[in-house]
Amino acid sequence: MAEFSQKRGKHRGNEALGSAVDFLLANARLVLGVGGAAVLGIATLAVKRLIDRATSPRDEDDAKGDSWKELNLLKATPHQQPRPPPASLSQPVSLPPPLPSAPEGPTDTELQKPPQLGSPVPLCLTFQEKLLAFEQEYVVIPAAHVALAKQLAGDIALELQAYLRNKFPELPFGPLVPGGPLYDGLQAGAAEHVRLLTPLLLEPGLWILVPGVDTVARDPRCWAVRRTQLEFHPMGSSPWDRFLVGGYLSSRVLLELLRKALVASVNWPAIGSLLGCLIRPSVVSEELLLEVQHERLELTVAVLVAVTGAHSDNHLLLAWPLEGLAGNLWLQDWYPAEAARLQALDDQDTGTRRRLLLLLCAVCRGHPALGQLGRSHLTQVILRLGEEEVDWAEEALGERFLQALELLISSLEQASLPCHFNPSVNLLGSLREEEIDSIGYALYSGLQAPEGLL
């Protein structure tokens, strides 16, 4: 009986709260308009969810996407279009004829009537114009800075390559190759790292790749590098055998070796003095990062230990700080394939897919919630749009921007963003439910007022 009374009281409380929300939204439409009411509705629903979470336990079934079901009610709300300027500001106003009883002479309304102009003056920029202005201010990098960053990255690569050959003469490292978004014209601002690939030269025939799903880790993102031909080339005949763990080449052991060398052995002050900059290895990040400070710019160089060409598909595998059972596996890097595909699509129709990627990267980087969306998430969304939509001219850039937001929201609702090149990899799998909710609300709000994202 007590339980029934408690549920009945809770039901009445929910009805009262729902009535209050409906009354608030109904009046908001009259005062704020449709777009303003939608944004207010999002905030009101968020408050309601916080109250529900604080006053009642959540069912496992209810926890799966209840926020997206509520927001779907707002999904049908049309995008808030910029309101046209009032008629009194954009064109002459035709006043009604004076009443017969009105006194002769100028009235107050006629005295306040603005002078008529030959053509209306635009009072605000369209979203497309604001998007292009944002691009010029936050996306475009001066050519002089790009050239200087490439020069510094190339010089650091030569110095580090000479160090590795002197420090580890028995280990056949390949030539260090700088690359990444800066070299492919895909870098927005100075936030991206310059990638410094450090390839391992593995003996042909001694190593094969095993998909991550076929290992105990069951991780489709990764590959294992297994040692073979032990009957003809026993253990110790390869210089890389010292990094084996359970018969597999361990990315974790190699990372630790190079981390100790970069932090404790390399004379970075001397190299920085030679190159006219300050170089410091990062001791906070688990990645191998070099922070470069020049009087004209700041740069971050990511040293990536890589296995290349060990498979018929020429996969690029990186030694990455993975957790759990995948700690010794190698992460497959899709960046080269993504950059090449975007380039090929844009070359077919002189499109703006790469420009859209730069804009989305700049917008997400400066947003507290959207900063959890990385380049890989945004690239996969644009690749899907890039092969579906036809018009990728500059005039359609604003429309494609909004479509990318909608596709991101749809993916977040399902907590699924399959990789374009390997659908079994879910790029949203590493995000928690709270993070997905936070990103989803930010995108819904941005879709109603996209100028607020710029």
Coordinates of all heavy atoms in Angstrom, one line a residue, residues 10 25 150 326 328:
K10 N 4.2 10.2 -6.9 CA 5.2 10.5 -8.0 C 4.6 10.8 -9.3 O 5.0 11.7 -10.0 CB 6.2 9.3 -8.1 CG 7.2 9.5 -9.2 CD 8.1 8.3 -9.3 CE 9.1 8.4 -10.4 NZ 10.0 7.3 -10.5
L25 N 6.3 26.2 -22.4 CA 6.7 26.2 -23.8 C 5.6 26.8 -24.7 O 5.9 27.5 -25.7 CB 6.9 24.7 -24.3 CG 8.1 24.0 -23.7 CD1 8.1 22.6 -24.1 CD2 9.3 24.7 -24.0
K150 N 57.0 23.5 -41.3 CA 57.5 22.4 -42.0 C 59.0 22.4 -41.9 O 59.6 21.3 -41.8 CB 57.1 22.5 -43.5 CG 55.6 22.3 -43.7 CD 55.3 22.3 -45.2 CE 53.9 22.0 -45.5 NZ 53.5 22.1 -47.0
A326 N 44.5 -5.1 -25.1 CA 45.0 -4.5 -26.3 C 46.3 -3.8 -26.1 O 46.8 -3.1 -27.1 CB 44.0 -3.6 -27.0
N328 N 49.4 -4.5 -26.0 CA 50.6 -4.9 -26.8 C 50.3 -4.9 -28.3 O 51.1 -5.2 -29.1 CB 51.1 -6.3 -26.4 CG 51.7 -6.2 -25.1 OD1 52.6 -5.4 -24.7 ND2 51.3 -7.2 -24.2

